[in-house]
Amino acid sequence: MANGEAASAARTKYQQIVDDLAAQIHSGALPAGGAVPSESELMERYRVASGTVRKAVSELRAIQLIETHHGRGSFVRARPPVQRKSSDRFRRAHRLAGKAAYLAEAEESGGTPAVQVLFVGPVDAPAEIARRLGVAAGVKVLARKRRYFRDGTPTEEATSYLLWDVVKDIPAVFAENPGGGGIYARLEEHGHLLAEFAETVRARLATKPEAVALALSPGAAVLHLVREAVTDDGRVVEVCDTVMAADQFVLDYRFPARD
Amino acid sequence: MANGEAASAARTKYQQIVDDLAAQIHSGALPAGGAVPSESELMERYRVASGTVRKAVSELRAIQLIETHHGRGSFVRARPPVQRKSSDRFRRAHRLAGKAAYLAEAEESGGTPAVQVLFVGPVDAPAEIARRLGVAAGVKVLARKRRYFRDGTPTEEATSYLLWDVVKDIPAVFAENPGGGGIYARLEEHGHLLAEFAETVRARLATKPEAVALALSPGAAVLHLVREAVTDDGRVVEVCDTVMAADQFVLDYRFPARD
DNA sequence: TAGTGGTCTAGACCACTCC
DNA sequence: GAGTGGTCTAGACCACTAG
C-alpha cells in the first residue's frame, strides 16, 4: 500500500469507502433520494483509482443503499413501503367484484399500480410448464406476459400459460385487457370453476435480464413464484410464472393447523 | 469490438464469457463440483485482461453457478436437491404421529437432518415479536433458538418465541428436546389447541452474521419467514422467526380459490 | 457539449492454499 | 515455491443524460 497508514484495521480501501459512505447515509449527511458524489469526485476525495471507487459503489448498490443511473449519477435509495401479497388475493369475491388480483393488492398498499402487457399469443410450452399443465413439452399453449409497476417503477414480471383447449373459445383472454376480474373471472364464466391454487416460492439472485427488466442492480434478490390454478375437476388450467423484486414484497399465507 | 463478429447481440465481453461458461455448466461440459479454469487461463482463452475475467467470474458467483475459494480456485456449484417446505408440514396428524415439522419435511427430501439447540430461556420480547404476540415490548417470553442442518451443512436458523404464561407450566418446552411432535404437540396436550398458522415470507440478501451462521457466501439470498401459531380462541401463542439459505428451499402453499 | 457511469486494458502486489 | 483468487493502479474509450 502506498501510504504509511497504521493499517491495523486490516480493512481494504474499498471497504473503508463503503463504510464511510454507508455511515453518511445512515446519519443523514447523505439524505435519502439525494445524489451521491460522482465517481471522479470520490476518486479525488479518497485518493484512489477509478476501479477502487467503482468497487465500493458496486458494493453499496449490492446492499441496496444506493441506486446508480448510467449518465445521471448515484442516488441514496429511498426505500418504498413493501407490498403485501396475501394468499386471499385470489378470492372469488374479488373476481366477482370485478377486481383483478393485482388491483386487490395495490388498494391496500397505497401505491399507484400499472400493468404493461408485453406479449399475448401462442408459444410452445416450456418443459417445466408443460409438466405442471399435464401436457407434453412443446405443446401449444397461450402465454400472457406482463410487467407490473408501482408508482412508475417495475416490481414484477409474470407470464401466465393457459391450456389452449380451455381458452381457444374465450376471446377475452386473447385481449390485452381481459376485463374485470381478470382471466380467472373469464375462465369461471366459461365453466372452469377454480377450486384451489398451489404456489411454490423460491428466492434467488436476479439474473442479468431480470435485473434489467425490474431495474435492479445485478445481485439483488428476487422472489420466484410458480402458481397453478386448479379447477373443480382437478385439472391445472393455468400456470403463472412470476419474478418479483424481493425488496418490494412480503408474501402472506395462512393455513389451518388441523387435518 | 475487436473481432469481426456479427455483433448484432451488442453484448459486452464479460457477458459473453458469462454466457459461454454458463452454457458449459448447464451442458455438463463443466461438471458440477469440478474446477472452473483459473482466471489466468480464462484470460488466455478469451484474450481479455484480468479485470474482464474477474467481472465475469464475479457475475457467475452472483448467479450462484460457481463458488470461488481464495487460493484454491473456482468450482461449479453442486446444487444439492432443494428441500420442500409445504404448508401442510404442521398438520396435526404429523404431530400425533410423533414427528416434528422439520422431520416430516426431511423424510421426503432425502437428506440426513440434524438440529442444534443454540439457546433456550427467557428473553425480553423484541418489538416486532411482542406486537405479534399481543404483549408489550420487553415482556418476558420464552425463546428457543436452534440451527438446522442437512447432510452436515447448515440450512436454516429459527427462533421461537412463546408466551410465558402459556409455557411456564409445560416443562418439556424448556428442554433441549421437547419430545415427539415438537413444542406444538406439547402445547396441544396442555389445552392450547392450534387453529391456524399465519406465515409471512420475505427474501433479501444475507447479513454478515447470517452468512456466517449458514455458511453462505456474502451476498447470497435468504428467505425470511415469520410464522404465528394461532389457537382456537384466536390467541397467538408462538411466533417463529426463521432465516433460511434460499438455495436450499422451495416453499409450497395451497389455498382455496373459493370464499 | 460537459459530465456521468460502464467497460476494458496491462500490468503490480498481496493473501491464501497446497505440495 | 508455484499457483490461485483479491485488491489496486492509471489510464483509455464508450454510452447515456442533461443543459
Side-chain angles (χ1 to χ4, degrees):
Chain A
M1 218 128 295
N3 63 21
E5 216 187 316
S8 62
R11 271 255 213 34
T12 61
K13 281 194 189 176
Y14 86 86
Q15 254 306 334
Q16 290 174 35
I17 299 174
V18 168
D19 291 347
D20 192 35
L21 292 175
Q24 288 184 47
I25 289 170
H26 286 127
S27 79
L30 287 174
V36 175
S38 77
E39 297 187 354
S40 47
E41 187 176 339
L42 292 174
M43 286 169 66
E44 275 185 15
R45 180 177 308 180
Y46 293 104
R47 308 311 219 94
V48 294
S50 65
T52 308
V53 160
R54 286 193 58 75
K55 176 127 201 209
V57 165
S58 142
E59 186 83 5
L60 286 163
R61 188 179 41 215
I63 55 178
Q64 322 243 33
L65 280 178
I66 67 173
E67 47 189 37
T68 62
H69 299 278
H70 193 171
R72 279 206 296 145
S74 294
F75 302 87
V76 178
R77 247 183 115 134
R79 280 282 206 131
V82 289
Q83 303 182 40
R84 301 190 84 83
K85 275 229 183 256
S86 119
S87 55
D88 70 50
R89 68 189 183 282
F90 293 109
R91 285 162 55 103
R92 184 166 294 143
H94 286 152
R95 289 196 292 284
L96 296 179
K99 296 175 194 162
Y102 84 98
L103 278 174
E105 280 300 312
E107 251 180 22
E108 293 169 26
S109 49
T112 315
V115 202
Q116 175 186 15
V117 176
L118 302 175
F119 174 80
V120 177
V123 299
D124 298 338
E128 165 79 0
I129 302 297
R131 189 180 58 71
R132 290 170 180 270
L133 284 172
V135 299
V139 160
K140 181 169 74 169
V141 296
L142 176 66
R144 298 180 50 90
K145 181 168 189 175
R146 59 268 182 222
R147 188 179 294 148
Y148 294 89
F149 299 80
R150 200 178 61 144
D151 298 332
T153 64
T155 57
E156 61 179 303
E157 217 171 71
T159 307
S160 279
Y161 299 90
L162 294 123
L163 287 176
W164 193 263
D165 279 350
V166 167
V167 297
K168 66 173 191 295
D169 298 321
I170 313 180
V173 304
F174 289 84
E176 282 224 348
N177 182 350
I183 56 175
Y184 294 144
R186 297 297 85 73
L187 288 171
E188 296 210 308
E189 285 164 6
H190 284 73
H192 303 284
L193 290 185
L194 301 179
E196 68 165 2
F197 295 96
E199 198 158 274
T200 67
V201 182
R202 287 181 177 80
R204 53 178 174 74
L205 301 185
T207 64
K208 189 71 185 283
E210 286 166 353
V212 171
L214 298 177
L216 301 172
S217 40
V222 294
L223 281 161
H224 186 179
L225 265 65
V226 181
R227 183 182 59 252
E228 303 175 3
V230 187
T231 55
D232 268 351
D233 53 1
R235 196 150 69 127
V236 175
V237 291
E238 186 235 21
V239 173
C240 184
D241 187 294
T242 308
V243 175
M244 307 185 292
D247 62 348
Q248 296 276 341
F249 292 96
V250 177
L251 310 180
D252 268 345
Y253 298 97
R254 335 192 113 243
F255 42 93
R258 46 177 171 52
D259 291 349
Chain B
M1 218 126 290
N3 62 21
E5 216 187 314
S8 61
R11 274 257 209 30
T12 61
K13 281 194 190 177
Y14 86 87
Q15 252 308 329
Q16 291 174 34
I17 299 175
V18 168
D19 291 346
D20 191 35
L21 292 175
Q24 289 184 46
I25 289 169
H26 286 126
S27 80
L30 285 175
V36 174
S38 76
E39 296 186 356
S40 47
E41 188 175 340
L42 292 175
M43 286 169 65
E44 276 185 14
R45 179 176 308 180
Y46 294 102
R47 308 310 220 96
V48 293
S50 65
T52 307
V53 160
R54 286 194 58 75
K55 178 129 202 208
V57 165
S58 144
E59 186 81 5
L60 286 163
R61 187 180 39 217
I63 307 190
Q64 321 241 35
L65 280 178
I66 67 172
E67 45 189 40
T68 61
H69 298 278
H70 193 172
R72 277 208 295 146
S74 295
F75 302 87
V76 178
R77 261 185 97 131
R79 282 281 205 130
V82 289
Q83 305 183 40
R84 301 191 84 81
K85 277 231 182 252
S86 112
S87 54
D88 70 52
R89 69 190 183 280
F90 293 111
R91 285 161 55 102
R92 183 167 295 143
H94 287 152
R95 289 196 291 284
L96 296 179
K99 295 176 195 163
Y102 84 97
L103 278 175
E105 281 299 314
E107 250 179 25
E108 292 169 28
S109 51
T112 316
V115 201
Q116 175 187 15
V117 176
L118 303 175
F119 173 81
V120 178
V123 299
D124 299 339
E128 166 78 0
I129 302 297
R131 187 180 59 70
R132 289 170 181 270
L133 284 171
V135 299
V139 159
K140 181 170 76 170
V141 297
L142 176 66
R144 298 179 51 90
K145 181 169 189 174
R146 60 268 183 222
R147 186 179 296 149
Y148 294 88
F149 298 79
R150 199 177 62 144
D151 298 331
T153 64
T155 57
E156 61 179 305
E157 217 171 72
T159 306
S160 279
Y161 299 90
L162 294 124
L163 286 176
W164 193 263
D165 280 351
V166 168
V167 296
K168 66 175 192 290
D169 298 321
I170 313 179
V173 304
F174 289 83
E176 282 225 348
N177 182 350
I183 56 174
Y184 293 143
R186 298 296 86 71
L187 287 171
E188 295 210 308
E189 285 166 5
H190 285 71
H192 304 282
L193 290 185
L194 301 179
E196 69 166 2
F197 296 96
E199 199 157 273
T200 68
V201 182
R202 286 181 178 79
R204 52 177 173 76
L205 301 184
T207 64
K208 190 69 185 287
E210 286 165 354
V212 171
L214 298 177
L216 302 172
S217 40
V222 293
L223 280 161
H224 187 179
L225 264 66
V226 181
R227 183 182 59 250
E228 302 175 2
V230 187
T231 55
D232 267 351
D233 54 1
R235 196 150 69 129
V236 175
V237 292
E238 186 235 22
V239 173
C240 184
D241 187 294
T242 307
V243 175
M244 305 185 293
D247 62 350
Q248 297 275 339
F249 292 96
V250 177
L251 310 180
D252 267 344
Y253 298 96
R254 334 191 114 246
F255 42 92
R258 48 179 170 51
D259 294 348

